[in-house]
Amino acid sequence: MRCGLIDDALAVCAAAARAGGCVLAGTDRAELDVTLKDAAVDLTTSADRASQAAVVAELRTAFPDHVVVGEEGTVAGTDDRHVWYVDGLDGTSNFAHGIPWYAVSVALRCQEHGGDEVVVGAVCDPVHDQLFCAARGLGATMNGEPLPGSATAPLRSVVVATQIQSADPARIHRYAGTVERLLNAARSVRSPGAPALIMAHIAAGHFGAYVEREMAPWDISAGQLLIEEAGGRVTDLSGRRITSADVTDVAASNGAVHDELLAVLAGT
């Protein structure tokens, strides 16, 4: 049964993503406070926190009882059937280094009527003034225009994105093996950062596929909905559709190359 909040939630989701994007667009990098969450690679900045605060303000104004789970912290609510997943700055390292590839990601997961799925999502790219939106069963758009997805196949014909955020030598070694397999199978391989934005560009028909391990729900929830509504697939590396908010490995594609992608990744 369809979530009863989809229509209202989609408008709020889009406005919230835009609000975060406006914060990022107005940030003076000369005054940016940058800190490490771990010993080497996981950055956070004052812009992450300010953008998430702007997103949360929009969400809580419209839905004060909903739970909001963000990369920069959780806001409790009394309605845990509706949970928003927010990344106020998807692509923090890019942003901190002045690389113009980053976004805001916002998605609502609904547990009405015994279901549990992402029902609306938005990814805002403030650099290119692009707002990607999707609602379950209603399609995906970019700045109001339907996203076409892509039926390009085989894997040799598409660009694949894959990346890692880790200083662990064992994980890096494993990742290098994945990259080698993909380089031997795809047209080319890129590591642009900002997973939500990568997934939006799969929905737009630009990237053909994306692979990354141990992804949090704020990284992939909006992107998963965009891809699925544009006709693509998002699964774990065994081919199971992602159906929870648990941290998970991700294989996303235009759908046409998905089985071939999984075959290349088998055993990695």
Side-chain angles (χ1 to χ4, degrees), residues 1-247:
M1 188 176 293
R2 186 174 185 265
C3 175
L5 296 181
I6 282 185
D7 295 330
D8 291 341
L10 179 59
V12 172
C13 186
R18 280 286 194 197
C22 287
V23 169
L24 299 182
T27 298
D28 182 352
R29 285 191 183 81
E31 299 179 359
L32 196 64
D33 176 29
V34 181
T35 57
L36 279 168
K37 292 182 179 179
D38 62 9
V41 298
D42 191 5
L43 298 181
T44 188
T45 73
S46 49
D48 291 72
R49 296 186 290 273
S51 176
Q52 179 168 312
V55 171
V56 170
E58 291 282 340
L59 300 179
R60 297 291 278 185
T61 296
F63 301 111
D65 297 331
H66 289 190
V67 177
V68 182
V69 178
E71 184 169 16
E72 305 306 318
T74 295
V75 180
T78 57
D79 180 0
D80 59 5
R81 297 178 308 157
H82 298 95
V83 181
W84 293 89
Y85 290 94
V86 175
D87 191 346
L89 177 46
D90 174 53
T92 299
S93 185
N94 286 348
F95 183 87
H97 291 90
I99 299 168
W101 176 266
Y102 51 84
V104 180
S105 179
V106 185
L108 173 63
R109 192 170 198 95
C110 176
Q111 295 182 12
E112 285 185 4
H113 314 299
D116 183 6
E117 61 181 358
V118 179
V119 293
V120 299
V123 174
C124 177
D125 173 357
V127 175
H128 302 98
D129 190 28
Q130 293 178 327
L131 180 65
F132 301 84
C133 294
R136 181 70 61 188
L138 298 177
T141 63
M142 192 277 288
N143 290 354
E145 295 297 319
L147 289 176
S150 169
T152 301
L155 192 60
R156 177 58 67 188
S157 299
V158 305
V159 178
V160 178
T162 189
Q163 50 205 29
I164 189 174
Q165 184 170 274
S166 177
D168 179 0
R171 289 189 64 197
I172 292 170
H173 178 74
R174 185 184 191 189
Y175 170 72
T178 298
V179 172
E180 182 178 11
R181 289 189 181 208
L182 291 171
L183 283 168
N184 284 318
R187 171 159 290 170
S188 61
V189 177
R190 299 287 184 268
S191 299
L197 193 53
I198 292 170
M199 295 175 84
H201 280 273
I202 291 176
H206 304 148
F207 287 109
Y210 157 66
V211 179
E212 193 164 359
R213 294 183 182 273
E214 298 182 21
M215 301 307 294
W218 49 76
D219 289 315
I220 63 169
S221 293
Q224 177 177 359
L225 185 59
L226 284 163
I227 289 172
E228 291 180 343
E229 287 297 312
R233 291 175 62 189
V234 181
T235 70
D236 63 17
L237 301 194
S238 71
R240 290 186 297 263
R241 181 175 175 267
I242 294 169
T243 58
S244 79
D246 295 338
V247 172

